[in-house]
Amino acid sequence: MTTFQAPKGTYDLIPPDSAKYLAVREAIAAPLRNSGYGYIETPGFENVELFARGVGESTDIVTKEMYAFETKGGDRLALRPEGTASVLRAALEANLHKSGNLPVKLWYSGSYYRYERPQKGRYRHFSQVGAEAIGAEDPALDAELIILADQAYRSLGLSDFRILLNSLGDKECRPVYRDALQGFLRGLDLDEDTRRRVDINPLRVLDDKRDSVQKQLVGAPLLRDYLCDGCKAYHEEVRELLTAAGVVFEDDEKLVRGLDYYTRTTFEFVHDGLGSQSAVGGGGRYDGLSEMIGGPALPSVGWALGVDRTVLALEAEGIELELPASTSVFAVPLGEEARRVLFGVVTRLRKAGVAADFSYGGKGLKGAMKSANRSGARYTVVAGERDLADGVVQLKDMESGEQAPVALDAVVEEIRAKLG
Ligand code: ATP
Ligand code: MG
């Protein structure tokens, strides 16, 4: 027996549900397009080096979750686990940062791959829409991105989400904090893995989800108390701009995020209806990333929003998106000549911008009308030999059930007028 089964941790987007995903992507992209962000598309895989350096050797993404492989030609590649490193690589390669027009603002949409333990809201193949503003240090840019994400979620009707905000400091003040935190963490009772993390990336330990660890973290030094004056002023400005824009956020001193490259502003969008996979999006400032991957200093900020979890959030809030029916007119021919004539009508309707479909496969009237109903079309055009002899087709309003003959040459105009 043949079984059809998508690979573990993946799923297919199938009509009608797939329309929701398109609508979510579109809703996230719309505020970006409206704010000077240009569309960028990069390959689904990159040299593994890019992520090792750009995402960070100490992150779960690189050590555990990355699909890395060697090609027949001996190249070491990885399926992209995230978008930022690729987008920055592409911008540097195309010299966008030398155009004299900074920041370079880009948005993207695509598939990402992480070898994770699959569960609801956590997949091995998932979809993100992201935005990056490259080459400028300006708190208004950080605020802009958070405001646009907030606007995107709200345009979908979401309201049970929260914005968590923190500052991770910069290359002056973070190392001082890092030392203090390491000193504190080394005095705790931690397992070997976590002790290793204390050595490589102590900030990540703050993010540990286990109660046994969280209990011991009470009294840990807080980054807030170590921020230098520059970082403090920067962060305060971001907070003020958000408040002035009416965007509600929560200060979260423990928010560190999983990637190594973040500096200063860090934020996460969490949805309270999603259980443990609550992060619907996240991002922050990554002033050091360009240099980490071998480029010039380019302070930048960005975010990525998860499309899959945004769709789950819509379901959790019981939101039905108002998606227009995909077909407005359905044509039902009765007989060979009607088939040719109505196929012509459908083609003309489509050219005129009316969404139209056709009963294929030589169905009888009953079967064809069933298809017309299923299509969600507002109007059905039916024609048989007698109609054609009279130079008319029957136009049926599927809502009222009323049917009337319309001259064949006038039917496209008539339908367009009716649909407004
Ligand atoms: P988490 O803490 O849940 O693992 P993350 O910090 O790894 O999330 P990011 O790298 O910030 O996630 O990615 C941005 C967004 O992409 C997340 O907020 C989430 O909505 C989505 N996302 C990340 N990993 C997955 C996944 N495996 N499956 C589905 N969506 C994901
Ligand atoms: Mg993760």
Side-chain angles (χ1 to χ4, degrees):
M1 197 182 84
T2 316
T3 56
F4 300 104
Q5 173 78 60
K8 186 172 175 190
T10 72
Y11 64 106
D12 304 302
L13 300 182
I14 289 164
D17 276 0
S18 51
K20 268 195 267 185
Y21 285 75
L22 282 179
V24 165
R25 290 193 186 110
E26 183 50 39
I28 300 173
L32 297 169
R33 280 203 202 98
N34 195 36
S35 310
Y37 290 76
Y39 178 65
I40 183 168
E41 212 170 297
T42 66
F45 50 82
E46 296 275 351
N47 287 322
V48 70
E49 273 284 303
L50 176 70
F51 300 120
R53 286 209 248 158
V55 178
E57 302 271 17
S58 75
T59 60
D60 283 353
I61 292 182
V62 170
T63 55
K64 297 183 193 153
E65 298 171 3
M66 201 154 65
Y67 284 91
F69 56 97
E70 191 172 316
T71 65
K72 290 190 175 118
D75 295 327
R76 297 278 307 150
L77 302 178
L79 300 186
R80 58 183 183 189
E82 59 101 48
T84 304
S86 309
V87 168
L88 189 57
R89 191 271 307 143
L92 290 168
E93 184 173 338
N95 281 318
L96 298 185
H97 59 297
K98 292 184 184 157
S99 64
N101 191 21
L102 296 176
V104 176
K105 301 209 286 187
L106 302 166
W107 74 275
Y108 59 86
S109 173
S111 295
Y112 296 84
Y113 307 87
R114 295 183 193 176
Y115 189 73
E116 304 211 56
R117 196 164 67 79
Q119 46 203 298
K120 189 169 187 192
R122 189 175 295 287
Y123 311 105
R124 291 181 173 177
H125 167 268
F126 60 99
S127 170
Q128 291 183 338
V129 176
E132 316 289 349
I134 298 166
E137 194 179 63
D138 184 337
L141 206 49
D142 308 41
E144 167 176 289
L145 278 162
I146 296 171
I147 292 166
L148 293 177
D150 182 74
Q151 196 184 327
Y153 289 136
R154 296 206 182 275
S155 77
L156 286 163
L158 290 169
S159 57
D160 292 350
F161 66 90
R162 291 178 291 131
I163 302 173
L164 310 179
L165 185 69
N166 194 18
S167 171
L168 291 182
D170 62 9
K171 59 177 187 290
E172 304 305 321
C173 56
R174 187 150 66 170
V176 183
Y177 171 67
R178 196 176 182 274
D179 281 350
L181 183 63
Q182 255 169 354
F184 173 87
L185 295 173
R186 285 190 176 128
L188 303 182
D189 176 26
L190 300 168
D191 58 274
E192 199 182 319
D193 252 11
T194 312
R195 281 211 304 274
R196 209 172 11 249
R197 190 169 287 164
V198 171
D199 291 333
I200 308 170
N201 194 345
L203 269 72
R204 293 280 338 270
V205 179
L206 298 178
D207 205 20
D208 202 305
K209 304 280 189 291
R210 291 170 298 181
D211 266 352
S212 58
V213 176
Q214 281 302 328
K215 258 192 232 136
Q216 299 190 65
L217 291 177
V218 177
L222 290 175
L223 186 46
R224 185 184 51 191
D225 301 326
Y226 288 77
L227 289 185
C228 60
D229 288 344
C231 284
K232 257 189 220 157
Y234 193 97
H235 196 57
E236 204 37 54
E237 177 80 13
V238 174
R239 295 177 76 260
E240 277 169 22
L241 289 167
L242 290 176
T243 303
V247 171
V248 179
F249 57 88
E250 296 170 22
D251 294 305
D252 181 352
E253 275 98 37
K254 286 199 174 149
L255 180 71
V256 290
R257 311 227 349 104
L259 286 68
D260 274 356
Y261 53 58
Y262 286 112
T263 49
R264 289 196 168 170
T265 315
T266 345
F267 49 87
E268 198 157 272
F269 297 86
V270 294
H271 193 278
D272 291 325
L274 294 188
S276 47
Q277 269 58 253
S278 63
V280 286
R285 181 156 276 285
Y286 49 91
D287 293 344
L289 178 58
S290 176
E291 286 155 296
M292 278 162 79
I293 64 170
L298 278 176
S300 307
V301 56
W303 50 240
L305 310 189
V307 175
D308 311 74
R309 288 187 198 171
T310 304
V311 171
L312 292 174
L314 288 170
E315 284 162 12
E317 288 198 40
I319 297 167
E320 289 284 345
L321 297 178
E322 275 178 40
L323 302 172
S326 49
T327 301
S328 302
V329 180
F330 198 91
V332 173
L334 304 172
E336 238 348 90
E337 193 194 345
R339 218 171 84 84
R340 274 190 291 272
V341 172
L342 287 196
F343 190 72
V345 170
V346 163
T347 302
R348 278 190 282 142
L349 281 166
R350 289 172 175 167
K351 275 190 191 153
V354 176
D357 205 355
F358 187 74
S359 173
Y360 291 101
K363 286 192 194 76
L365 180 62
K366 212 170 142 199
M369 287 311 288
K370 217 184 233 174
S371 304
N373 267 319
R374 279 207 192 125
S375 76
R378 177 67 206 275
Y379 295 101
T380 304
V381 177
V382 188
E385 260 170 57
R386 186 138 18 108
D387 298 308
L388 296 180
D390 294 345
V392 300
V393 296
Q394 301 295 326
L395 185 60
K396 181 171 180 184
D397 183 328
M398 301 296 276
E399 260 171 38
S400 66
E402 275 164 36
Q403 183 174 314
V406 176
L408 180 58
D409 349 350
V411 68
V412 171
E413 270 320 302
E414 174 89 16
I415 288 173
R416 281 186 67 181
K418 279 183 185 289
L419 287 169

